[in-house]
Amino acid sequence: ISGYFGGTADKIITAITNVAMAVPGLPLTVLLVAYLEPGKWSLIISISITSWTGTLRILRSRIQQISEMPFIKIERTLGVSPLVILFKHILPNVKDIILTRGALAISSAMMTEASLSFLGLGSVTEKSWGGVLHYAFFRNSIMKNQVWWYLPPIVCICVAVLGFMLVGYYGQMKKV
């Protein structure tokens, strides 16, 4: 909406995005998780509230570029509905950005969830690699040299995050 229509909607959405980007993400996430009821939904809500700004700015910029292209101007001149232009022409041209940023957002959300669970703010009823690290840390597994407690979750987090980052990286490369 912001990138295609512009005007007042663009100014309002950009102002909200700028304010959201000025607030540090992890401390706000910690505050939200601590304020909300413990559980996986509080993690999902707090991570979602703090992680949308970068994707919005990239998509807005790309949609503004596409909106100024000749084929979009021709569609507007012919009287085609803005919804048809958005879904038939603009969305297919930004799907690579959406998929790439989605893969990168998943890896970022995984790191945030592991961090919050390690701090003891994650869901107590759900299994989590960060929760395992929290348990290992408070049971002095590092001092007791019990690597089976802290090494597997670290390796799993690294491999999973690396996998999603590689999907995001190779998803943006064009086929020749």
Side-chain angles (χ1 to χ4, degrees):
I1 292 171
S2 176
Y4 182 73
F5 293 109
T8 306
D10 183 35
K11 290 178 183 176
I12 292 170
I13 292 171
T14 302
I16 292 170
T17 304
N18 290 338
V19 169
M21 289 183 86
V23 178
L26 190 59
L28 179 61
T29 306
V30 168
L31 285 174
L32 288 171
V33 168
Y35 179 73
L36 298 171
E37 292 181 18
K40 66 180 175 184
W41 285 106
S42 67
L43 286 171
I44 292 169
I45 291 168
S46 61
I47 291 171
S48 298
I49 287 174
T50 59
S51 64
W52 57 271
T53 55
T55 303
L56 181 118
R57 289 185 66 111
I58 290 171
L59 280 175
R60 176 183 165 270
S61 172
R62 182 65 182 142
I63 289 171
Q64 283 178 334
Q65 288 176 345
I66 293 171
S67 296
E68 296 302 317
M69 291 186 169
F71 69 97
I72 299 294
K73 289 182 177 180
I74 291 171
E75 292 284 327
R76 283 188 198 142
T77 305
L78 292 174
V80 177
S81 166
L83 286 176
V84 172
I85 293 172
L86 283 170
F87 285 105
K88 188 176 179 185
H89 297 291
I90 293 179
L91 187 61
N93 283 309
V94 296
K95 73 174 186 267
D96 291 339
I97 295 172
I98 293 170
L99 294 174
T100 301
R101 291 294 297 187
L104 295 175
I106 290 171
S107 65
S108 174
M110 290 175 69
M111 289 296 293
T112 304
E113 189 279 328
S115 302
L116 292 171
S117 294
F118 175 73
L119 293 173
L121 296 171
S123 177
V124 181
T125 60
E126 303 284 328
K127 300 291 185 212
S128 168
W129 291 324
V132 173
L133 287 173
H134 173 78
Y135 178 79
F137 181 76
F138 285 102
R139 297 289 180 183
N140 290 328
S141 296
I142 295 172
M143 299 303 266
K144 295 176 184 176
N145 203 20
Q146 297 172 337
V147 294
W148 58 88
W149 275 111
Y150 59 86
L151 195 59
I154 291 172
V155 170
C156 289
I157 290 170
C158 290
V159 169
V161 168
L162 177 66
F164 278 107
M165 291 187 92
L166 289 175
V167 166
Y169 176 73
Y170 287 109
Q172 66 185 347
M173 296 184 76
K174 300 290 181 192
K175 294 179 182 175
V176 179

